[in-house]
């Protein structure tokens, strides 16, 4: 396909999606002296989900991006965790993660990443309608809802599980777990009394997780199999979300009910958990020409390991490093040589990330089956598979994505 006219704009690197991974990728490139623009369809930078738990591997990536210190001042250090079963009236400590663990507000993470970018990098209200690859110029043409065009030498899709870039690459659409989640934040003006630890309380098929962010702020979620929901399965109105959540946890301790009751309405959200199948990650095409994907667009996964956002941060560091190495070796105006080196850099990025996210996605997929299944036999078989395949259960937090 050939394009008839010159694009309204031309850019070397275009990132689609202004979420955590998109902004982190732009920042990684900026740190290496590579200019990019970020196209975000929303009129504001959004941070759906309330809080995000960040384990040691995530902090290694944030430090490489140069924002770790600032974020540390916004969240308390977590000291392990606790599992509480109301059915069995039992309580056990969750094995403490060796290293730094904190939960931060997603909006804080988004803001900190955005603040470090040059003015004009982020373009709000810029939704991409279509992406075409020109076999002659080897450029990508993006059509926006405004009717304008952008030609780009490199396109990085960071626009989540329903990514147009992933679709262009031929990646299969994400699948749905049989699990729904309700999420929110609760502010305590006079401070809360929750210890600095992750608490997971279960009763029947319903689980409630709580993590303190600061002395005044708690991040919480309620997870359950979707078959337990009825009527409007995933409400979007905040008042309806709170009402349904309180109904779901009516048999939980009053302290948990109080936290949900006091939650900040504008922080509430619901989601049907989705994942990209491990076999699709193993066999799927992650690069076509100078187009690739990162973050959820590549490897949307369940939240059971707390690694979805962290993996996106790792992607950003590795992608920034690989593109810098590729483009620093480009000399002169030889277009074909430049494209070949960029493609080689993207191939190196895909090679480094594929097996890492395959391991994360496989484990979250197996845990998702256990959480969503009603069959004791299925739970037992999958639990055995996890024990065999993942003897080192801390592999995901020990990982180091390396220097930017």
């Amino acid at each position: 396909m050939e394009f008839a006219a010159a694009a309204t704009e031309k850019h070397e690197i275009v990132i689609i999606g202004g979420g955590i991974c998109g902004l982190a990728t732009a920042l990684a490139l900026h740190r290496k002296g590579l200019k990019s623009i970020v196209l975000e369809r929303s009129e504001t930078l959004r941070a759906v989900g309330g809080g995000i738990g960040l384990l040691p591997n995530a902090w290694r990536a944030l430090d490489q991006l140069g924002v770790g210190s600032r974020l540390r001042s916004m969240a308390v250090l977590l000291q392990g965790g606790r599992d509480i079963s109301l059915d069995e009236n039992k309580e056990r400590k969750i094995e403490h993660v060796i290293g730094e663990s904190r939960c931060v507000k997603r909006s804080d993470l988004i803001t900190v990443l955005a603040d470090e970018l040059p003015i004009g990098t982020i373009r709000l209200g810029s939704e991409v309608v279509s992406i075409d690859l020109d076999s002659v110029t080897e450029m990508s043409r993006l059509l926006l809802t405004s009717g304008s065009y952008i030609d780009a030498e490199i396109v990085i899709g960071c626009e989540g599980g329903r990514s147009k870039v992933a679709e262009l690459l031929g990646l299969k659409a994400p699948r749905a777990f049989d699990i729904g989640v309700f999420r929110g934040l609760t502010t305590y003006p006079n401070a809360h009394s929750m210890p600095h630890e992750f608490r997971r309380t279960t009763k029947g098929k319903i689980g409630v997780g709580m993590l303190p962010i600061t002395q005044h702020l708690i991040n919480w979620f309620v997870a359950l199999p979707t078959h337990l929901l009825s009527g409007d399965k995933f409400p979007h109105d905040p008042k309806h979300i709170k009402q349904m959540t309180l109904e779901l946890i009516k048999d939980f301790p009053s302290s948990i009910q109080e936290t949900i009751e006091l939650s900040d309405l504008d922080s509430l959200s619901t989601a049907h958990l989705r994942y990209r199948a491990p076999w699709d990650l193993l066999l799927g095409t992650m690069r076509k020409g100078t187009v690739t994907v990162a973050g959820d667009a590549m490897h949307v996964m369940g939240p059971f390991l707390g690694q979805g956002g962290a993996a996106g941060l790792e992607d950003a560091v590795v992608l920034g490093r690989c593109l810098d190495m590729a483009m620093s070796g480009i000399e002169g105006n030889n277009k074909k040589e430049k494209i070949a080196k960029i493609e080689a850099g993207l191939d190196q990025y895909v090679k480094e990330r594929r097996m890492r996210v395959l391991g994360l996605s496989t484990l979250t997929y197996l845990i998702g089956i256990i959480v969503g299944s009603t069959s004791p036999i299925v739970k037992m078989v999958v639990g055995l598979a996890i024990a065999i395949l993942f003897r080192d259960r801390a592999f995901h937090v020990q990982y180091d994505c390396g220097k930017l």
Side-chain angles (χ1 to χ4, degrees):
M1 176 179 180
E2 293 187 35
F3 298 135
T8 303
E9 295 181 57
K10 287 188 177 181
H11 293 278
E12 192 166 52
I13 306 174
V14 173
I15 298 166
I16 304 176
I20 292 171
C21 183
L23 296 178
T25 300
L27 182 54
L29 295 171
H30 172 60
R31 298 291 194 220
K32 304 302 287 189
L34 299 174
K35 185 178 180 181
S36 66
I37 62 168
V38 178
L39 304 180
E40 167 54 41
R41 66 178 183 177
S42 175
E43 296 295 337
T44 59
L45 288 176
R46 300 175 299 167
V48 178
I52 178 171
L54 298 174
L55 298 172
N57 58 302
W59 289 103
R60 294 184 191 108
L62 289 167
D63 284 336
Q64 289 301 312
L65 294 172
V67 296
S69 296
R70 186 175 167 191
L71 284 165
R72 285 182 179 92
S73 67
M74 300 177 178
V76 298
L77 184 65
L78 300 178
Q79 306 289 343
R82 195 172 302 274
D83 255 333
I84 302 167
S85 172
L86 299 179
D87 295 318
E88 301 176 3
N89 195 26
K90 288 184 179 180
E91 183 176 312
R92 71 175 181 87
K93 286 188 176 181
I94 299 174
E95 186 175 338
H96 179 60
V97 173
I98 298 176
E100 185 176 8
S101 303
R102 301 174 193 264
C103 180
V104 305
K105 284 179 66 176
R106 285 178 179 267
S107 58
D108 284 345
L109 177 53
I110 289 284
T111 299
V112 167
L113 291 170
D115 284 350
E116 295 291 319
L117 292 171
I119 295 174
T121 300
I122 305 168
R123 298 194 180 184
L124 301 172
S126 299
E127 182 173 1
V128 177
V129 177
S130 64
I131 309 167
D132 290 310
L133 303 179
D134 187 341
S135 59
V136 176
T137 65
E138 298 188 78
M139 297 275 283
S140 299
R141 169 163 283 189
L142 313 179
L143 171 63
L144 308 186
T145 51
S146 63
S148 61
Y149 289 92
I150 294 178
D151 280 356
E153 289 189 2
I154 301 170
V155 173
I156 305 168
C158 300
E159 72 272 51
R162 295 184 174 91
S163 164
K164 284 187 172 63
V165 178
E167 185 178 334
L168 175 71
L169 296 179
L171 289 173
K172 293 185 178 179
R175 306 157 193 247
F177 284 113
D178 295 325
I179 304 168
V181 63
F182 294 68
R183 303 171 293 199
L185 299 171
T186 301
T187 301
Y188 290 82
N190 298 317
H192 58 76
S193 59
M194 183 177 176
H196 293 178
E197 63 183 17
F198 169 48
R199 286 199 167 186
R200 182 169 51 207
T201 306
T202 58
K203 182 174 179 60
K205 301 293 183 181
I206 299 175
V208 179
M210 292 191 175
L211 301 90
I213 295 177
T214 67
Q215 292 297 120
H216 299 274
L217 187 63
I218 290 177
N219 175 59
W220 59 264
F221 65 85
V222 176
L224 69 160
T226 53
H227 72 265
L228 295 182
L229 297 172
S230 59
D232 184 5
K233 288 190 174 182
F234 294 97
H236 299 290
D237 176 70
K239 291 182 179 179
H240 193 184
I241 293 173
K242 177 183 281 191
Q243 178 185 355
M244 186 176 286
T245 306
L246 287 170
E247 178 63 26
L248 289 168
I249 62 161
K250 62 184 179 182
D251 295 327
F252 280 68
S254 58
S255 59
I256 292 178
Q257 296 182 43
E258 179 187 68
T259 298
I260 308 301
E261 181 63 53
L262 295 174
S263 58
D264 310 328
L265 279 178
D266 61 359
S267 74
L268 301 183
S269 66
T270 61
H272 192 165
L273 299 185
R274 299 182 182 277
Y275 66 97
R276 195 174 297 288
W279 48 92
D280 291 337
L281 284 172
L282 178 63
L283 303 174
T285 299
M286 304 295 185
R287 195 249 332 151
K288 181 180 289 186
T290 55
V291 176
T292 192
V293 282
D296 283 354
M298 177 192 281
H299 48 65
V300 61
M301 64 183 76
F304 315 114
L305 296 177
Q307 287 294 314
L313 293 170
E314 292 175 359
D315 292 343
V317 172
V318 176
L319 184 49
R321 180 173 67 234
C322 289
L323 274 180
D324 174 61
M325 291 177 65
M327 298 179 76
S328 63
I330 295 172
E331 298 178 359
N333 297 315
N334 189 320
K335 182 73 172 180
K336 288 188 177 296
E337 180 185 358
K338 181 177 183 179
I339 294 298
K341 289 191 174 182
I342 291 172
E343 290 178 345
L346 294 179
D347 282 339
Q348 180 61 33
Y349 156 72
V350 170
K351 180 181 178 181
E352 286 191 39
R353 295 306 295 160
R354 191 188 296 270
M355 297 312 294
R356 163 63 173 167
V357 298
L358 177 63
L360 293 174
S361 296
T362 300
L363 183 51
T364 56
Y365 169 69
L366 294 174
I367 295 174
I369 291 176
I370 291 176
V371 174
S373 176
T374 58
S375 168
I377 295 177
V378 169
K379 290 177 181 287
M380 181 182 69
V381 171
V382 175
L384 180 61
I386 290 175
I388 294 172
L389 296 174
F390 299 96
R391 294 182 180 180
D392 179 7
R393 294 295 296 274
F395 80 96
H396 55 287
V397 299
Q398 294 170 342
Y399 183 83
D400 188 342
C401 61
K403 293 188 179 299
L404 177 59

